Amino acid sequence: QVQLVESGGGLVHPGGSLRLSCAASGSISSINAVGWYRQAPGRQRELVAAITSGGSTHYAEYVEGRFTISRDNAKNTANLQMNSLKPEDTAVYYCNMEVVVLRRGTYSYWGQGTQVTVSS
């Protein structure tokens, strides 16, 4: 049906920046909401940022003003620009998309996850 591929993770120093990307492919009619989540060792997965099909955004308070979520509907991609990174941002980041699959229905898909490590 649909697969999501993430890229852009890596190791950065505190105060640095990274841009995560999520690309969807397959039998896609349209994509509704998109969310970026993260999960640190021993922690539950938590929502970092979300964007609706209309472009409305939501951010967790601990990333407000530092992260920006965006999407390109024509390319079926979403991005998370992360600035002023802190050690507390270290986690595996996952992309999630609610996809309207051609001739099927609406389903939620997850990317494979990408590691973000912020350390001096």
Side-chain angles (χ1 to χ4, degrees):
Q1 276 187 329
V2 174
Q3 61 178 316
L4 273 51
V5 178
E6 300 179 31
S7 61
L11 173 65
V12 296
H13 293 160
S17 298
L18 284 174
R19 185 190 298 271
L20 306 183
S21 296
C22 181
S25 61
S27 303
I28 300 170
S29 177
S30 61
I31 299 174
N32 295 330
V34 174
W36 283 96
Y37 296 74
R38 70 186 187 189
Q39 187 167 21
R43 310 289 186 180
Q44 288 200 161
R45 189 171 300 185
E46 60 186 10
L47 178 67
V48 175
I51 185 167
T52 69
S53 60
S56 297
T57 58
H58 164 82
Y59 298 95
E61 58 181 319
Y62 44 81
V63 304
E64 188 79 56
R66 299 189 296 123
F67 292 8
T68 302
I69 187 171
S70 61
R71 63 189 292 167
D72 187 331
N73 293 330
K75 297 179 179 179
N76 293 327
T77 60
N79 298 303
L80 183 68
Q81 177 65 46
M82 305 185 295
N83 299 324
S84 302
L85 283 162
K86 305 174 180 179
E88 306 92 88
D89 296 319
T90 296
V92 177
Y93 284 71
Y94 298 89
C95 177
N96 177 268
M97 294 186 180
E98 185 178 71
V99 181
V100 181
V101 181
L102 282 170
R103 300 176 299 279
R104 297 292 187 275
T106 303
Y107 303 91
S108 180
Y109 295 90
W110 289 93
Q112 80 280 9
T114 184
Q115 177 70 47
V116 172
T117 302
V118 185
S119 177
S120 59

